[in-house]
Amino acid sequence: MFEAFYGFKKTPFCRDLPTTELFPSNTLEESLSRLSYVAERQLFCVLTGECGTGKTTTIRRFRDQLDDTRYTLIYLADSKMTPRNFYKGMLDQLGAESRFYRGIPNASCIKRSS
């Protein structure tokens, strides 16, 4: 409705906006430079910020400029993630099966054959 009113050809500020069409603000460029620094040195990075500040958009833009043959980007977005879920999410994205230590079963549950 507002697209026609303002003469837009498509809806602005949508989530499926190609990252090549993002406004190259100083903040975005600085963030991309820092993420590139981390990737080139094979470091671990955590990107944090308030809701709506563009964290996911920045990661999308960064992912699109990475060489997929050299880098694997792991993206976990859950502010209330437990350590166990964090590791499971990382392993899942790397294509590995998560097998967590569950301890020794209760001795009364072990069936012994004679």
Side-chain angles (χ1 to χ4, degrees):
M1 176 172 164
F2 67 89
E3 293 90 349
F5 180 80
Y6 288 106
F8 292 145
K9 295 178 183 170
K10 60 184 176 180
T11 304
F13 311 114
C14 57
R15 291 193 178 268
D16 61 349
L17 178 73
T19 59
T20 55
E21 295 183 20
L22 293 173
F23 177 72
S25 68
N26 290 337
T27 303
L28 177 62
E29 295 302 319
E30 178 68 23
S31 298
L32 293 172
S33 294
R34 290 176 184 226
L35 289 169
S36 294
Y37 178 88
V38 167
E40 290 167 5
R41 287 158 183 79
Q42 298 180 5
L43 302 172
F44 185 79
C45 176
V46 176
L47 183 63
T48 63
E50 296 295 322
C51 294
T53 57
K55 299 176 299 293
T56 300
T57 302
T58 300
I59 293 297
R60 284 181 47 231
R61 173 69 175 86
F62 181 63
R63 180 198 61 217
D64 290 349
Q65 76 182 30
L66 285 177
D67 178 358
D68 291 341
T69 62
R70 293 188 58 209
Y71 299 101
T72 300
L73 180 80
I74 299 172
Y75 177 69
L76 301 170
D78 184 353
S79 62
K80 297 177 181 171
M81 186 177 294
T82 65
R84 182 183 201 110
N85 291 337
F86 172 77
Y87 290 118
K88 182 178 182 336
M90 283 183 33
L91 290 170
D92 288 347
Q93 289 191 34
L94 290 170
E97 182 181 344
S98 56
R99 296 181 184 173
F100 294 103
Y101 177 74
R102 297 187 185 275
I104 299 172
N106 187 329
S108 64
C109 296
I110 299 174
K111 189 174 184 179
R112 300 183 193 268
S113 59
S114 330

